[in-house]
Amino acid sequence: MGNKQKVALITGITGQDGSYLAELLLQKGYIVHGIKRRSSLFNTDRIDHLYQDPHDPNQRLKLHYGDLTDSMNLTRIIQEIQPDEIYNLGAMSHVKVSFDMPEYVGNVDGLGTLRILEAVRLLGLTEKTRIYQASTSELYGGLEENKNERGFYDESTPFYPRSPYGVAKIYGFWITKNYREAYNMFACNGILFNHESPRRGETFVTRKITRAVAKIAMGLQDKVFLGNLEAKRDWGHAKDYVRMMWMILQADKPQDWVIATGVTTTVRDFVRMAFSEVGIEVEFKGEGVDEKAYVTACNHKDYQIEIGKEVLSVDPKYFRPTEVDLLIGDPTKAKCELGWVPEHDLVSLVHDMMEGDIALMKKDVDLLKAGHEILKQAE
């Protein structure tokens, strides 16, 4: 590819990963094209700071309307921009919701991947364009007997998906591998374990927790309802994971890679850590659906809650029909062969998320106060 300015295409650019990846690629001098779905509402808040003026000829971030269910649209965009790299991050990625929308998930997450691969093949770009497919730890299904000898899931672990989302993503994984082998394409899967950030969607459990804890600390909410507190996840920072995505497409040969931290934490402990960030200690009592959390201490002058107050309850409606209790990845290959080293641990991740949500809630409080002040003056 020489020294010419590289061109990248990101599906799902308005999401958590897409926004961080766009930042990274722009810093590296890329021209970045992003595909976003048409909506009656603005949904670009995660990338607004990058996308200033579409009429500026020097603007290196360009957006296109598109959808992973529309093969003609995808083919036209790829033909028009002739990308050096495609990062397929677009997906219906909520595991619980996938049980309610299984057909849609299969169309977007499974066949959407095929549409991109086939467009690259039909346009004769197999030698020019490198493709990253965002795969998922949900492929593994959390089966204990499938772990490697170190007790982790790695690139050779058998798959056993436990949700329509996981099943759709397994099609995406295998069709990417198939096109790599059948057409000699530089097409890779990144098997991403859970990765979070202040930009995480509000319905995902980590962000649901940090938003709720921020609101509870500021007196804007009484308590939070969660599902399986015993579930264990390998949580990393999205910034580290998008850097690995880029490294995968710079490698000498196309392969599949696990992206993980190798550390697992329960949902319950994530809750404890989030409350700890605002100086609140909680104690869990009860078991199963009867488990609750109560405040035992408040060590921050700005966040004082009544001792003994119930701040968390379990709601069975958040349980999944088939639950994956434990996911932990083995990133040895990524570290040894590509030199990938995460810059964030779980403590700094929780701090980052809580800091973001506290700032967000303070802004909401300030707006409410300003509104009350205007109403008072109008009277």
Side-chain angles (χ1 to χ4, degrees):
M1 293 178 195
N3 294 320
K4 79 174 183 67
Q5 194 170 29
K6 284 187 178 180
V7 176
L9 172 64
I10 303 172
T11 69
I13 194 169
T14 59
Q16 168 189 255
D17 294 4
S19 65
Y20 282 123
L21 181 61
E23 280 179 4
L24 178 72
L25 296 179
L26 288 169
Q27 287 166 8
K28 292 183 179 296
Y30 281 64
I31 295 172
V32 178
H33 293 261
I35 294 179
K36 67 167 189 166
R37 283 176 299 161
R38 172 73 183 97
S39 170
S40 59
L41 300 173
F42 287 117
N43 60 349
T44 58
D45 47 317
R46 292 188 181 100
I47 56 170
D48 282 344
H49 64 295
L50 303 173
Y51 189 67
Q52 302 301 331
D53 182 1
H55 306 293
D56 182 353
N58 297 315
Q59 173 77 31
R60 288 189 290 113
L61 176 62
K62 305 169 190 297
L63 298 181
H64 308 259
Y65 286 120
D67 197 292
L68 286 167
T69 62
D70 187 340
S71 57
M72 290 183 69
N73 166 264
L74 292 170
T75 303
R76 178 186 57 76
I77 293 171
I78 293 170
Q79 182 177 33
E80 183 184 315
I81 69 175
Q82 300 279 303
D84 298 296
E85 298 170 4
I86 296 177
Y87 296 87
N88 183 30
L89 312 185
M92 202 307 289
S93 57
H94 199 287
V95 177
K96 175 70 169 67
V97 175
S98 77
F99 285 95
D100 301 322
M101 307 173 68
E103 182 182 342
Y104 177 75
V105 171
N107 193 4
V108 173
D109 298 14
L111 292 178
T113 308
L114 170 65
R115 292 181 182 109
I116 289 173
L117 292 163
E118 185 66 356
V120 169
R121 185 185 74 83
L122 290 173
L123 293 170
L125 298 174
T126 54
E127 291 186 17
K128 172 185 172 63
T129 303
R130 297 186 170 198
I131 300 170
Y132 171 85
Q133 164 63 11
S135 201
T136 171
S137 58
E138 292 290 332
L139 299 183
Y140 296 122
L143 289 188
E144 188 70 28
E145 60 268 28
N146 283 351
K147 292 180 184 175
N148 63 19
E149 65 279 358
R150 294 176 57 231
F152 296 83
Y153 299 103
D154 61 20
E155 290 82 2
S156 61
T157 302
F159 298 141
Y160 195 93
R162 305 270 288 163
S163 65
Y165 169 71
V167 173
K169 279 290 191 176
I170 211 166
Y171 179 88
F173 176 92
W174 283 113
I175 201 66
T176 298
K177 198 175 179 75
N178 178 253
Y179 268 61
R180 179 170 76 218
E181 295 172 355
Y183 305 113
N184 199 30
M185 293 171 69
F186 199 108
C188 311
N189 289 288
I191 305 173
L192 279 70
F193 279 69
N194 295 68
H195 48 291
E196 320 297 316
S197 78
R199 298 180 193 173
R200 188 58 147 148
E202 296 164 8
T203 59
F204 291 86
V205 68
T206 51
R207 186 74 196 289
K208 181 178 176 181
I209 290 167
T210 58
R211 276 177 61 86
V213 169
K215 283 186 171 184
I216 291 167
M218 298 176 72
L220 301 172
Q221 182 173 322
D222 284 332
K223 65 178 180 178
V224 60
F225 292 91
L226 297 175
N228 182 12
L229 300 179
E230 281 294 322
K232 295 178 179 178
R233 290 294 181 269
D234 182 332
W235 280 304
H237 200 300
K239 284 184 178 179
D240 286 324
Y241 285 44
V242 300
R243 183 164 47 84
M244 179 59 184
M245 294 175 190
W246 175 78
M247 293 171 77
I248 285 172
L249 291 195
Q250 314 316 306
D252 292 333
K253 60 180 181 177
Q255 298 183 63
D256 304 319
W257 307 81
V258 164
I259 312 178
T261 69
V263 178
T264 190
T265 309
T266 63
V267 171
R268 185 184 297 104
D269 282 340
F270 193 99
V271 171
R272 281 197 184 98
M273 292 172 74
F275 273 110
S276 180
E277 282 293 320
V278 286
I280 298 172
E281 294 177 25
V282 295
E283 179 184 11
F284 288 83
K285 293 181 179 179
E287 292 183 4
V289 295
D290 298 318
E291 188 169 3
K292 300 178 187 300
Y294 301 90
V295 174
T296 58
C298 297
N299 304 313
H300 194 297
K301 62 181 178 60
D302 294 335
Y303 310 117
Q304 292 295 311
I305 303 176
E306 178 189 347
I307 302 301
K309 179 180 172 62
E310 180 190 322
V311 289
L312 180 148
S313 286
V314 171
D315 188 338
K317 81 174 183 181
Y318 294 119
F319 291 175
R320 299 172 186 172
T322 46
E323 181 62 270
V324 177
D325 290 322
L326 171 64
L327 286 173
I328 182 167
D330 186 349
T332 301
K333 179 181 173 183
K335 290 181 175 179
C336 292
E337 295 188 27
L338 292 183
W340 178 70
V341 179
E343 295 172 356
H344 303 82
D345 60 12
L346 186 60
V347 173
S348 67
L349 169 64
V350 176
H351 175 77
D352 201 10
M353 293 181 71
M354 281 303 301
E355 194 174 53
D357 277 328
I358 285 289
L360 197 64
M361 297 314 150
K362 280 182 177 173
K363 196 182 292 184
D364 286 351
V365 169
D366 290 343
L367 286 171
L368 280 171
K369 284 180 180 174
H372 288 315
E373 198 60 41
I374 291 168
L375 286 172
K376 205 182 284 184
Q377 290 172 5
E379 290 170 359

